[in-house]
Amino acid sequence: MTVSNVVNKRFGSMGKDVRAEVERAISELGYRPNASGRSLRLAKRFSIGMVVVDESPTFLADAFITRVVAGLSNYLSQRDYGLVVQGMSARTLPQSALVRRHETDALCVLMSGPASRRRRLLERLAKPGHPVVVLQDVGSDSDGVISIRQDDFGGARELAQHMLSRGGRDFVFMAPDVEWPAIEQRIAGVTSALQGDARSTFAVVNCADGGFSDSQAAIARYVAQSGWPNAIMGGNDQMGISALKWVIDQGLRVPEDILVSGFNAFDTWQYTQPMLTTVISPAYEMGASAGAAILDMLEGNLPSERHRLFPVKLQPGGST
Amino acid sequence: MTVSNVVNKRFGSMGKDVRAEVERAISELGYRPNASGRSLRLAKRFSIGMVVVDESPTFLADAFITRVVAGLSNYLSQRDYGLVVQGMSARTLPQSALVRRHETDALCVLMSGPASRRRRLLERLAKPGHPVVVLQDVGSDSDGVISIRQDDFGGARELAQHMLSRGGRDFVFMAPDVEWPAIEQRIAGVTSALQGDARSTFAVVNCADGGFSDSQAAIARYVAQSGWPNAIMGGNDQMGISALKWVIDQGLRVPEDILVSGFNAFDTWQYTQPMLTTVISPAYEMGASAGAAILDMLEGNLPSERHRLFPVKLQPGGST
DNA sequence: CTGAAAGCGCTTACAG
DNA sequence: CTGAAAGCGCTTACAG
């Protein structure tokens, strides 16, 4: 009825006095429209789910994820959509209310784990008419599934080239034991750069959860077994900083004796002494872009790009 | 009808064969219940809003907030509730769809800004039958509003006492220009400790956004004007680390020449050289506790505590 | 320009 | 034990 038109600001076809009367009643009674009724009628929930498939309960602690969520959430609120955030292990994902019930209009997912499992989870999440944006992974070719990644391969290759030019020869890459596709891409990028230099060597060390103690222990173990590398690349800034500190504690000079780098910088790279050479991530913009792509698909448009790749930026510091 | 009972797992009053038949049809058709219909009928949205009132678009970048949200989100998903996350400036809050429409069953809020504005926003958010949990602030006395804080006052007092015992005399506290009630509590705690030592001095320096450059610039300005303090307390770890690095860059020794501390540690305190003395925050547990309190109130129970205070833990490092 | 009616999908009280 | 009916609050097509 007319009231509905006032609430939704379609004043085209009513008298001024009618509009004023309805508005008075609304504010007087403190009326607020019920979102469930609206959702049921329009068959839209006006909310998007952000799912982080990670075994760790502090799935939001990572700086990259944090920026993605902020960018996505801000974009969506501006368009009057809500963002439902949920971290979960691969095991519990299918039972989650978010996917079991029909609680969101679309999903944005960030998945860890083996590629085969990621593919399987994705198939389960993609429903007809329910778009899915995969972040930091290649996604799939199904309709309604698009992917948004940053150029981890290119960034890592450029970083490795930079370190080669600074005298890097024997490289170690620090990776967490959880399989994140972005980390795999970084390793591939480094490998690609090092292939250009026949004298170089390359090893990947497993840093367990990637936290401070695990990372330092992993590097220490590697050095004890295989001797000193002269270039250590952290899979992310956290691991890079852990290594940087440990190396200095051992009495080595950075960058004279050994080069150290991170990846996915936000601002912690400035906090070390020397400042960490790293790669800057456009995570916030990726989140916002995911939001725009999702709403676009919900409006029935075909996505302009099925796979979007964001450039990253090398940030040289004093550690290389 | 019976189908509804099967979906909701109430098998009490039906034949085995009927149940099997319905379950077969459900899986065959790929039926998933529509959450809007359910929400409308039950007058519950099964979702809670987390609102961060902050002018910065990267409202989630802070480590404390990140842990709170993770704890809350995990607790709620386990109880089949969703968490809608939204950061916004005080100005845009009233127009937000989250509050304008009736989109959540309850709200959890974390507010910055002057106390009077925080009180005003809270009044606007608290609706009858719509519980609000205020984090890191005292909240209000209205029914349906409870508060959950950590003991910033006590933690800061203990930290200041520790630094006094290590020779601290001329104290500087680094605060961001945004008014967060937790920071005010920390300043009050330090003030309380220093009152026990008549020779001590205390100044608060404004570090603008609390980032690396602003923090270092603020300390440099202070030192140029007022000379060297011998104890610098960061309002949080980020500011503490910025100061630590700047002080060392100036050629001073920590802790011999000057003591430095942080606050609200998660793991970055380990990343500095020397390790930062700081105070450990139970942010994750606070988030989970907020979730439990909210669902309890939604079930119609009166909150067992209107104002809950979590203890914090002094973490002495090499910087004091 | 305005108002009465239908129907979205669910759950629950009720009749058989 | 099972099924038909009512109604949650909204929007939209339709009749006046």
Side-chain angles (χ1 to χ4, degrees):
Chain A
M1 48 181 151
T2 309
V3 172
S4 177
N5 285 326
V6 175
V7 171
N8 290 295
K9 305 195 195 311
R10 285 184 298 256
F11 307 122
S13 55
M14 74 185 67
K16 259 213 175 73
D17 46 345
V18 176
R19 168 177 171 186
E21 166 65 13
V22 174
E23 282 175 338
R24 195 195 51 75
I26 285 175
S27 78
E28 189 164 296
L29 300 168
Y31 167 80
R32 286 158 71 208
N34 177 306
S36 299
R38 177 174 151 94
S39 287
L40 179 58
R41 176 62 234 246
L42 298 178
K44 284 177 102 181
R45 299 236 72 197
F46 298 96
S47 86
I48 309 299
M50 167 87 214
V51 173
V52 181
V53 179
D54 184 5
E55 307 303 311
S56 158
T58 53
F59 63 96
L60 267 179
D62 181 75
F64 175 82
I65 295 179
T66 274
R67 263 64 172 197
V68 167
V69 174
L72 183 54
S73 166
N74 289 342
Y75 183 86
L76 293 176
S77 355
Q78 178 204 318
R79 302 267 309 257
D80 277 1
Y81 271 73
L83 179 69
V84 181
V85 175
Q86 186 161 135
M88 54 190 138
S89 70
R91 206 172 33 74
T92 57
L93 185 140
Q95 312 153 33
S96 152
L98 208 62
V99 307
R100 213 183 49 228
R101 303 195 212 278
H102 208 85
E103 295 206 326
T104 53
D105 298 321
L107 239 37
C108 187
V109 296
L110 192 51
M111 292 179 290
S112 63
S116 61
R117 193 179 71 187
R118 299 197 307 262
R119 211 174 315 112
R120 205 158 357 102
L121 289 174
L122 191 51
E123 273 164 27
R124 200 170 302 199
L125 293 175
K127 301 268 157 52
H130 191 262
V132 174
V133 173
V134 182
L135 287 170
Q136 292 291 71
D137 200 354
V138 288
S140 84
D141 288 324
S142 336
D143 277 342
V145 177
I146 69 172
S147 77
I148 296 182
R149 292 179 301 147
Q150 67 182 22
D151 189 8
D152 288 298
F153 181 91
R157 188 169 53 181
E158 191 183 345
L159 177 59
Q161 277 158 351
H162 162 84
M163 290 168 82
L164 278 172
S165 79
R166 298 307 187 107
R169 166 111 41 122
D170 299 315
F171 283 74
V172 164
F173 187 97
M174 305 167 73
D177 54 7
V178 179
E179 297 175 58
W180 287 99
I183 296 279
E184 287 160 18
Q185 285 298 304
R186 287 169 208 166
I187 292 173
V190 174
T191 306
S192 155
L194 297 189
Q195 276 165 354
D197 186 332
R199 301 161 308 171
S200 66
T201 67
F202 186 45
V204 175
V205 304
N206 180 324
C207 295
D209 73 0
F212 188 74
S213 333
D214 284 354
S215 299
Q216 291 203 335
I219 282 289
R221 218 178 308 117
Y222 177 83
V223 168
Q225 272 186 11
S226 316
W228 283 97
N230 76 343
I232 299 182
M233 306 180 79
N236 59 28
D237 270 20
Q238 211 185 2
M239 290 184 265
I241 294 173
S242 306
L244 178 63
K245 194 184 169 202
W246 186 78
V247 164
I248 291 172
D249 283 353
Q250 300 304 304
L252 271 72
R253 291 166 308 159
V254 176
E256 292 82 356
D257 301 326
I258 186 166
L259 308 170
V260 180
S261 65
F263 211 102
N264 258 18
F266 297 97
D267 44 13
T268 49
W269 59 274
Q270 305 177 101
Y271 287 63
T272 60
Q273 176 67 309
M275 282 188 190
L276 190 68
T277 292
T278 184
V279 172
I280 292 184
S281 158
Y284 185 90
E285 289 73 24
M286 291 171 68
S289 157
I294 286 175
L295 296 196
D296 206 39
M297 291 168 81
L298 285 178
E299 281 163 4
N301 303 317
L302 282 174
S304 50
E305 295 169 290
R306 299 284 303 249
H307 302 281
R308 180 154 180 200
L309 193 66
F310 276 75
V312 296
K313 188 172 162 296
L314 180 64
Q315 175 71 237
S319 70
T320 53
Chain B
M1 51 181 154
T2 309
V3 172
S4 175
N5 286 324
V6 176
V7 171
N8 291 295
K9 305 193 192 316
R10 284 183 299 255
F11 307 121
S13 54
M14 73 186 67
K16 260 213 175 71
D17 45 347
V18 176
R19 168 178 172 184
E21 166 64 11
V22 174
E23 283 174 339
R24 194 195 51 73
I26 284 175
S27 77
E28 189 164 296
L29 300 169
Y31 168 81
R32 288 159 70 208
N34 177 306
S36 299
R38 177 173 150 95
S39 287
L40 179 58
R41 176 64 235 242
L42 298 177
K44 284 177 102 180
R45 299 235 72 195
F46 296 98
S47 87
I48 309 298
M50 168 86 212
V51 173
V52 181
V53 179
D54 184 4
E55 307 304 312
S56 158
T58 54
F59 63 97
L60 268 178
D62 180 75
F64 174 83
I65 294 178
T66 276
R67 264 62 174 199
V68 166
V69 173
L72 182 55
S73 167
N74 289 342
Y75 182 86
L76 293 176
S77 353
Q78 177 203 322
R79 301 270 307 259
D80 277 1
Y81 271 74
L83 179 69
V84 181
V85 175
Q86 186 162 137
M88 53 190 141
S89 69
R91 209 173 32 75
T92 58
L93 186 139
Q95 313 153 33
S96 153
L98 207 64
V99 308
R100 213 182 52 226
R101 303 195 212 278
H102 208 85
E103 296 205 326
T104 53
D105 298 322
L107 239 37
C108 186
V109 296
L110 192 52
M111 293 178 289
S112 64
S116 62
R117 194 179 71 188
R118 299 199 307 264
R119 210 176 315 113
R120 207 162 352 105
L121 289 174
L122 191 52
E123 272 165 28
R124 200 171 303 198
L125 294 174
K127 301 267 159 53
H130 192 263
V132 175
V133 173
V134 181
L135 288 170
Q136 292 291 70
D137 200 354
V138 288
S140 83
D141 288 324
S142 337
D143 277 343
V145 178
I146 68 173
S147 78
I148 297 183
R149 292 179 301 148
Q150 67 183 20
D151 189 8
D152 287 298
F153 181 92
R157 187 168 55 182
E158 192 184 344
L159 177 59
Q161 276 158 353
H162 160 84
M163 290 169 83
L164 278 172
S165 78
R166 297 307 187 105
R169 165 108 46 120
D170 298 314
F171 283 74
V172 164
F173 186 97
M174 304 167 73
D177 56 7
V178 179
E179 297 176 56
W180 286 100
I183 297 280
E184 287 159 17
Q185 286 296 306
R186 287 169 209 166
I187 292 173
V190 174
T191 304
S192 155
L194 297 190
Q195 276 166 357
D197 186 330
R199 299 161 310 169
S200 64
T201 67
F202 186 45
V204 175
V205 303
N206 180 324
C207 295
D209 73 0
F212 187 74
S213 332
D214 284 354
S215 299
Q216 291 202 335
I219 283 289
R221 218 177 308 118
Y222 177 83
V223 168
Q225 273 187 12
S226 316
W228 283 98
N230 76 344
I232 299 181
M233 307 181 77
N236 60 27
D237 270 19
Q238 210 185 3
M239 290 185 265
I241 294 172
S242 305
L244 177 63
K245 195 183 167 204
W246 186 78
V247 163
I248 291 172
D249 282 355
Q250 300 304 303
L252 272 72
R253 292 166 305 160
V254 175
E256 293 82 355
D257 301 324
I258 187 165
L259 308 170
V260 180
S261 65
F263 211 101
N264 258 19
F266 297 95
D267 45 12
T268 48
W269 59 274
Q270 304 177 102
Y271 287 63
T272 59
Q273 176 66 314
M275 283 190 191
L276 190 67
T277 293
T278 184
V279 171
I280 291 182
S281 158
Y284 185 90
E285 289 73 24
M286 290 170 69
S289 157
I294 286 174
L295 297 195
D296 205 41
M297 289 168 82
L298 284 177
E299 281 162 5
N301 303 316
L302 282 174
S304 52
E305 296 170 288
R306 299 282 306 246
H307 302 282
R308 181 152 178 202
L309 193 66
F310 276 75
V312 295
K313 189 172 161 296
L314 180 64
Q315 174 71 237
S319 71
T320 54

